[in-house]
Amino acid sequence: MKFTLIFKVPSSAGQLPVPLAASMDDEKDASGELERYKGQAKKIMRQTTTTSPSPCTIEAGAYSFHYVVVDAPNSSTGAKICFLTLAEKGCPRRLAFDYLDDLQKEFIQLHGQQIDNVERPYKFITFDTFIQKTKKLYTDTRANRNHIKMMSEDLRDIQGIMTKNIQDVLGRGEKLETVTNRSSQLSAETRRFKNKATSLYRELLLRQWAPIAVVVSVVGLLLYIFWR
């Protein structure tokens, strides 16, 4: 697991997510690749809501983001917590979600009751100690092999995990803005068309009935003069 982020999901519109804990860098990132993925993780964090699909995998090139959203225990505000990790694309999804499940159980046990009152970012940054220990367990060659064997013997499936593409997720805000702008333009054009159509209809009626009205007026005038 290359990177892990735990954050409080906004419970209502207008609220911002609050990062609670994250894994500290323990690898050199000379190419800046990890920082780029961290930037994507923050964008995912800002777009995650209480109704986001969970569990979910977001494919991002050579890596994939995996996350789960769970209820904070005994929360009076309906708070939810998201556990997100970045893993190589070849990593079995079941392995990644088992890793998140272990983090979730420990974090909920230690800090689950405090989520409603959290305002300061990374209040539980010391949880990184457990993250690193669990990460080492899951990346150990022997443990990894045994775990994969156990997964292959388990009858439970991962078909219920939603899969998305990073471009679709990160482009959602831009697409929504584009749709909104186009909708506004279409509404304005519709109003202009309606006004123009009304004006043309009135002009057509005037052209159609004006000569008849003149003839009727002349005939009426002549009859009045004749019978007076």
Side-chain angles (χ1 to χ4, degrees), residues 154-174:
D154 199 321
L155 296 178
R156 289 178 298 174
D157 206 349
I158 58 171
Q159 293 180 353
I161 298 174
M162 173 79 72
T163 302
K164 295 184 177 182
N165 183 277
I166 189 68
Q167 297 302 325
D168 294 335
V169 174
L170 300 187
R172 180 172 57 187
E174 180 180 349

Side-chain angles (χ1 to χ4, degrees), residues 88-100:
E88 293 180 352
K89 198 168 186 178
C91 174
R93 286 199 295 176
R94 178 61 187 280
L95 189 70
F97 283 102
D98 279 355
Y99 165 77
L100 291 176

Side-chain angles (χ1 to χ4, degrees), residues 11-22:
S11 56
S12 61
Q15 291 186 346
L16 295 175
V18 180
L20 303 172

Side-chain angles (χ1 to χ4, degrees), residues 201-216:
Y201 180 69
R202 289 173 179 171
E203 184 178 346
L204 179 62
L205 288 178
L206 183 62
R207 289 181 180 179
Q208 181 178 357
W209 294 104
I212 298 176
V214 171
V215 172
V216 170

Side-chain angles (χ1 to χ4, degrees), residues 13-225:
Q15 291 186 346
L16 295 175
V18 180
L20 303 172
S23 57
M24 304 297 290
D25 295 340
D26 58 353
E27 301 178 14
K28 292 183 179 180
D29 184 34
S31 64
E33 183 182 47
L34 184 58
E35 286 301 316
R36 180 168 63 87
Y37 281 105
K38 283 184 178 181
Q40 292 181 350
K42 291 178 181 178
K43 291 181 180 179
I44 294 172
M45 177 178 69
R46 289 193 291 269
Q47 293 188 8
T48 301
T49 67
T50 54
T51 59
S52 293
S54 174
C56 182
T57 293
I58 302 173
E59 297 177 344
Y63 295 89
S64 293
F65 291 98
H66 307 279
Y67 75 79
V68 291
V69 179
V70 301
D71 295 325
N74 301 320
S75 171
S76 60
T77 62
K80 291 181 179 289
I81 309 170
C82 181
F83 296 81
L84 179 146
T85 191
L86 175 71
E88 293 180 352
K89 198 168 186 178
C91 174
R93 286 199 295 176
R94 178 61 187 280
L95 189 70
F97 283 102
D98 279 355
Y99 165 77
L100 291 176
D101 186 59
D102 285 350
L103 296 186
Q104 171 193 330
K105 290 175 180 177
E106 184 70 11
F107 187 87
I108 292 296
Q109 182 178 351
L110 294 176
H111 310 298
Q113 304 291 339
Q114 308 172 51
I115 302 304
D116 277 350
N117 301 320
V118 172
E119 296 181 358
R120 176 170 56 88
Y122 299 105
K123 181 176 181 178
F124 310 113
I125 194 63
T126 55
F127 189 72
D128 174 61
T129 302
F130 184 81
I131 293 177
Q132 295 299 335
K133 182 176 69 173
T134 308
K135 175 182 175 181
K136 186 177 184 303
L137 174 65
Y138 275 78
T139 53
D140 180 77
T141 305
R142 181 177 300 175
N144 197 2
R145 187 184 300 115
N146 291 338
H147 203 91
I148 293 176
K149 180 180 179 181
M150 180 193 69
M151 287 189 297
S152 65
E153 295 172 349
D154 199 321
L155 296 178
R156 289 178 298 174
D157 206 349
I158 58 171
Q159 293 180 353
I161 298 174
M162 173 79 72
T163 302
K164 295 184 177 182
N165 183 277
I166 189 68
Q167 297 302 325
D168 294 335
V169 174
L170 300 187
R172 180 172 57 187
E174 180 180 349
K175 289 177 182 177
L176 287 175
E177 183 178 357
T178 301
V179 170
T180 301
N181 292 337
R182 288 180 179 175
S183 178
S184 300
Q185 293 174 1
L186 182 59
S187 297
E189 291 175 2
T190 301
R191 287 193 296 271
R192 286 196 297 269
F193 177 78
K194 183 178 180 180
N195 293 336
K196 187 174 182 180
T198 302
S199 177
L200 289 175
Y201 180 69
R202 289 173 179 171
E203 184 178 346
L204 179 62
L205 288 178
L206 183 62
R207 289 181 180 179
Q208 181 178 357
W209 294 104
I212 298 176
V214 171
V215 172
V216 170
S217 299
V218 171
V219 172
L221 180 62
L222 291 174
L223 290 174
Y224 173 76
I225 294 173

